[in-house]
Amino acid sequence: MTKTYNICLLPGDGIGPEIIAEGVKVLDAVGAKYDTAFSYTEALLGGCAIDACGTALPDETLRVAEASDAVLLAAVGGPKWDTTDPAKPRPEQGLLGIRKALGLYTNLRPVQIFNALADASTLKPEIVDGVDMMIVRELTGGLYFGRRERFYDEDGCGTSGAAGQRAYDTLEYREYEVERIARQAFEAARKRRNKVTSVDKANVLETSRMWREIVHRIGAQEYPDVELEDLLVDNTAMQLISRPVDFDVVVTENMFGDILSDEAAQITGSLGMLASASLGDGTALYEPSHGSAPDIAGRGIANPLAQILSVEMMLRYSFDMNEAADDIRRAVTAVLDEGWRTGDIKQVDTLADKIVGTVAMGDLVVSHL
Ligand code: NAD
């Protein structure tokens, strides 16, 4: 019997509607091959939602997302909605709001070099050859969500310091928060090369010492088959660019993950190729790592591959359709190996007739499925 999955589509702003259409095209193609039907409900998020409803995350969008088996998001934002007025709604409130409402505490960012694009990296080809890692970032705890305050300290609080401004942020984690992100990392490793690198600052921070202890307990008790190593965050920053090939799954807390995932993304050199998944215990959300590229919106030249690779992640992590996911990856690799490029990933020697637009790139991927 044909299996049916309900997907909430959030095209958002800028190039969003153009690239999400290609993601849907690819989903439909793999669905047909694997006797699976995908049904779609489109909803508003970001700038388009502000225009239509006065808020970046309308209640209806949340209702549709919560009732779906997965959410496919393109990107939100654009100059039209840029504002520093705190009273005005901003597109990114839609993003943060939906992640929070769906309880998405894990962010997965694969960083993979497609050999055909290896020279887009700023690192030497022999360093990046074969890079294939997954950054697992804790998304709803730590420093970004802790208690914070800024105030004027009249007397320097009894220290020898003079009066002046004072501010603090707090870095806090609870045991269950570390346990659940550790499990996500070990599970991801089992779908890959069975190795987890847990990144912390255990030589200084108490939260890190607790983090390390819990990750090791979960690893030993529940995932003895997965190799586990610890690495300090400063050392990780160096190792990521000196031996990126050695990493499989990298798991870390929110702020370290924020910084390291951008560093790792830069290894590939091509923003239009990077997908991401945000997972919790219910409906998960999949999106490209790039923004809404308002500078090229509506011109049919956006690269849809990050969106298509976010569909690959959806199949893998929400629907356990690993074979179909592998098909998508193989198809994207084949298209690139044949020399097809969108403008953003073209190389100096790319032939003019191999440069294609958004729709043609989607069609090429489908033709290889
Ligand atoms: P961006 O990622 O949108 O664009 C950066 C550069 O990369 C631009 O030159 C753009 O044309 C290019 N680019 C990005 N994706 C591309 C693609 N698929 N194909 C071809 N070229 C591509 O980042 P930005 O310019 O800093 O931000 C633009 C808007 O996007 C802002 O409003 C920002 O707030 C928003 N944004 C949204 C998200 C999200 O929705 N998750 C993430 C980042 C930025």
Side-chain angles (χ1 to χ4, degrees), residues 12-15 19 45 73-82 91-92 95 99 271-273 276 287-297 301-307 342-345 358:
D13 310 311
I15 60 170
I19 57 173
L45 186 83
L73 165 68
V76 301
K80 180 177 176 193
W81 303 281
D82 280 350
E92 60 272 21
L95 270 185
R99 286 178 189 151
L271 196 59
M273 300 296 302
S276 83
E287 60 183 313
S289 297
H290 59 70
S292 59
D295 51 331
I296 58 165
I301 59 170
N303 181 352
L305 292 176
Q307 182 82 75
T342 43
D344 59 310
I345 51 170
T358 313

Side-chain angles (χ1 to χ4, degrees), residues 43-44 49 53 55-66:
L44 297 170
C53 316
T55 167
L57 175 58
D59 292 344
E60 173 64 6
T61 298
L62 198 52
R63 195 193 59 72
V64 172
E66 281 171 343

Side-chain angles (χ1 to χ4, degrees), residues 90 196 295:
R90 282 170 290 116
V196 169
D295 51 331

